[in-house]
Amino acid sequence: MLERDPKTPLLTRADIPTATGLIDPSSVFNPGAVHFRGRDYLMLRVQARSRATSLVLASSTDGRSFKVAEACVTFEGIESEARTIHHIYDPRLTAIGNQVVVIFAADMDDACRLGVAVTDDMQRFRFLGFSEDASRNGVLFPEQIGGRYLRLERPNGTTTAGGVATGDAIRLSESTDLVHWSLVGAPVLEGRWRYWDELIGSGPPPVKTRRGWLHIYHGVATHFASSNIYQAGAALLDLQDPSRVLARTWDNILEPREVYELTGQVPNVVFPSGWLVRDLDADGFADEASEVLVYYGAADTCVARCRTTVGALLEACARVQQ
Ligand code: BMA
């Protein structure tokens, strides 16, 4: 249902220009994606051999062949944060109004928090602030609903045996200024223990269809002795009240199968973090025939891409448990 691109992986560490100052990095993965003012952009997570993380933009006119920028992204104003920020990673990009909003994870000594930055030209990014609570995988809806910005996020309520803070519930939160966020309602999606999506987190920002908000998320199966397996699934949320789940795939729709997904820095990982949905009408609804290009991190090592259609994803959501 999701067809991998024949040119895979799409981007590897060899594609990062030395002009970025990132010399011989270890890996490039988990990109955010957005279509803005006629161009396609990826915001890549690049990891140096120190394990420090930087974000680098890549741009394209067809979503297939990307030119990687020669400088790292900087968030202007982030230096005013008093706490030490060790890593900034896994950005999700949403075009809303005349701007692009970036929501990213930031590892600090006591917690991982979500930060927000905005740009109106994809060159200068202005930092707006961090939320206080420990959370990851924040994705902004592409329009306000009921006069508020809405995002899905995954509070870090669980700690793995290895000490990693993670979680098994995707929640909705709202804001009037993109800076202050409050969780609303009950969890939208919860992990399904013993199946493919025990721990979960949002993938790219939801896309509006006539049938509901289409969303893809990652799920982690933790019950295999030697390795967690990261896979992807889809869900459909109510248009007016996105805390209502209309449908959710029972099977995963993408799982590690290719060598570059099965082996690497963290084996057995597909981590969708960006997508480009080609055909939206004037009201922002995606056409069911629209092509969807999904960008994902493979084995925390490289960036891969697969394609499908909005209609195929909607159909997968509706497929019932066997
Ligand atoms: C998650 C995040 C992702 C990463 C994944 C697999 O917890 O840290 O950035 O891709 O694990 O290692």
Side-chain angles (χ1 to χ4, degrees):
M1 207 257 302
L2 288 172
E3 293 160 36
R4 289 172 178 82
D5 189 79
K7 182 199 173 308
T8 44
L10 178 69
L11 292 163
T12 70
R13 58 192 197 81
D15 295 303
I16 304 304
T18 51
T20 53
L22 297 161
I23 313 295
D24 190 23
S26 301
S27 49
V28 43
F29 57 111
N30 299 4
V34 73
H35 181 77
F36 188 63
R37 304 220 169 120
R39 289 190 77 80
D40 298 323
Y41 293 92
L42 297 181
M43 189 178 277
L44 310 167
R45 167 180 177 179
V46 184
Q47 197 165 64
R49 293 171 75 156
S50 62
R51 303 279 159 224
T53 307
S54 302
L55 302 178
V56 178
L57 279 177
S59 68
S60 168
T61 51
D62 62 3
R64 289 173 160 82
S65 109
F66 282 88
K67 182 168 174 8
V68 182
E70 304 213 322
C72 295
V73 171
T74 52
F75 293 134
E76 292 174 14
I78 202 166
E79 59 285 353
S80 64
E81 170 58 52
R83 293 167 290 204
T84 304
I85 303 166
H86 295 292
H87 300 289
I88 280 182
Y89 59 101
D90 295 1
R92 308 308 208 282
L93 274 54
T94 301
I96 181 165
N98 293 324
Q99 57 184 9
V100 170
V101 176
V102 186
I103 303 189
F104 54 91
D107 276 350
M108 299 179 182
D109 284 321
D110 60 336
C112 172
R113 295 189 167 83
L114 288 172
V116 180
V118 292
T119 180
D120 56 15
D121 58 8
M122 293 305 284
Q123 290 181 30
R124 297 188 63 184
F125 292 84
R126 191 163 52 87
F127 173 68
L128 297 185
F130 284 114
S131 302
E132 263 321 293
D133 295 336
S135 199
R136 262 211 310 263
N137 302 303
V139 300
L140 181 70
F141 284 73
E143 58 186 60
Q144 293 194 9
I145 300 172
R148 283 158 203 270
Y149 295 104
L150 287 186
R151 77 180 180 192
L152 295 168
E153 61 181 279
R154 207 285 317 283
N156 284 339
T158 310
T159 305
T160 64
V164 176
T166 178
D168 64 355
I170 295 175
R171 305 274 313 257
L172 200 61
S173 63
E174 61 176 28
S175 169
T176 50
D177 58 6
L178 291 172
V179 180
H180 303 93
W181 292 90
S182 347
L183 292 174
V184 284
V188 178
L189 293 168
E190 291 183 284
R192 294 180 286 204
W193 290 92
R194 300 175 194 276
Y195 295 94
W196 71 268
D197 50 354
E198 298 181 297
L199 301 171
I200 55 175
S202 284
V207 161
K208 196 166 69 164
T209 75
R210 298 270 167 202
R211 294 205 232 167
W213 291 101
L214 182 59
H215 187 47
I216 53 178
Y217 67 99
H218 65 263
V220 191
T222 64
H223 51 276
F224 294 89
S226 59
S227 164
N228 285 338
I229 304 175
Y230 279 70
Q231 304 134 91
L236 191 65
L237 311 178
D238 185 77
L239 281 178
Q240 273 75 45
D241 173 10
S243 68
R244 267 189 66 217
V245 180
L246 304 178
R248 178 179 182 180
T249 59
W250 169 246
D251 292 326
N252 76 48
I253 57 169
L254 185 70
E255 63 181 12
R257 287 193 179 175
E258 299 294 325
V259 170
Y260 55 86
E261 299 162 347
L262 297 166
T263 67
Q265 192 170 233
V266 182
N268 292 322
V269 176
V270 295
F271 193 92
S273 42
W275 62 2
L276 298 172
V277 177
R278 287 310 188 192
D279 304 311
L280 303 180
D281 69 18
D283 297 320
F285 287 99
D287 196 283
E288 293 203 12
S290 175
E291 182 177 51
V292 180
L293 302 176
V294 179
Y295 301 87
Y296 61 100
D300 283 10
T301 299
C302 57
V303 173
R305 183 172 64 78
C306 54
R307 68 170 294 285
T308 183
T309 62
V310 169
L313 289 170
L314 290 172
E315 213 175 282
C317 287
R319 216 166 288 147
V320 292
Q321 181 173 345
Q322 295 295 305

